[in-house]
Amino acid sequence: MTIRAKTPNLLDNPPIPVQAKLAAAWTSFMFLYIYVDYFHLYKPGVIDGLRANVVFEFDISPTLLTMMLASVAIPALMVMLSMTLPARVNRATNLVVASLYIPYSVINAVGESWDWASFYGLSIGTEVLLLAFVLRSAWTWPRTPAAPAAPATTDLRQ
């Protein structure tokens, strides 16, 4: 009796370009960012505040809405910029924007009651993890080895 052992077919795992990793992380961040804002509307009193022309403690105004739009537009643009900017600018842009969005994400929990700690802990924690991934990916961006320099002078004795 012969026993046939099937060798498993290994899945191909090609390297993913850093730009694609960054764009995927910013896309995930955007989905989470938008859904957290959407689910926030289900908190008791939020809709009443909107009807009273108040968001958090701020009166709804064109300035407030412009600032809110900018806070969503920046990470949305980072999806596209991560795929299109040259490597050096791309790396710097991702490092700066992700670094600024970590405290911005954490500030969302300021003043909230402990009853909502699980909601804010999960949402902010996931946002910060995604931003940490962006920071790590940009920081460890692979370098191409420099080409050796050509000789400065030729040997005249030849």
Side-chain angles (χ1 to χ4, degrees):
M1 180 169 150
T2 304
I3 299 175
R4 289 188 183 182
K6 263 191 162 181
T7 57
N9 291 337
L10 299 177
L11 296 175
D12 187 22
N13 196 16
I16 300 170
V18 178
Q19 295 94 328
K21 289 179 184 182
L22 292 169
W26 283 112
T27 302
S28 296
F29 180 84
M30 279 305 305
F31 274 112
L32 184 63
Y33 197 73
I34 291 167
Y35 273 104
V36 168
D37 285 350
Y38 174 75
F39 291 137
H40 175 78
L41 294 173
Y42 288 95
K43 270 181 73 176
V46 171
I47 299 296
D48 294 333
L50 291 174
R51 288 186 183 132
N53 205 28
V54 175
V55 174
F56 299 109
E57 301 296 323
F58 305 104
D59 291 336
I60 296 174
S61 67
T63 303
L64 178 67
L65 293 181
T66 302
M67 289 171 38
M68 292 171 129
L69 179 61
S71 76
V72 173
I74 292 169
L77 287 171
M78 288 305 296
V79 175
M80 187 267 306
L81 293 175
S82 293
M83 290 300 290
T84 59
L85 287 176
R88 178 172 276 173
V89 176
N90 199 339
R91 179 178 185 261
T93 304
N94 274 280
L95 289 171
V96 169
V97 174
S99 295
L100 293 174
Y101 265 81
I102 288 175
Y104 186 77
S105 292
V106 173
I107 287 172
N108 283 322
V110 171
E112 294 297 336
S113 72
W114 283 103
D115 296 340
W116 292 92
S118 59
F119 175 77
Y120 287 105
L122 181 60
S123 62
I124 293 169
T126 308
E127 286 178 4
V128 168
L129 284 174
L130 286 166
L131 293 168
F133 178 83
V134 168
L135 287 172
R136 183 181 177 278
S137 297
W139 186 260
T140 61
W141 196 301
R143 308 245 182 222
T144 22
T153 59
T154 58
D155 190 358
L156 297 176
R157 291 178 286 181
Q158 292 180 353

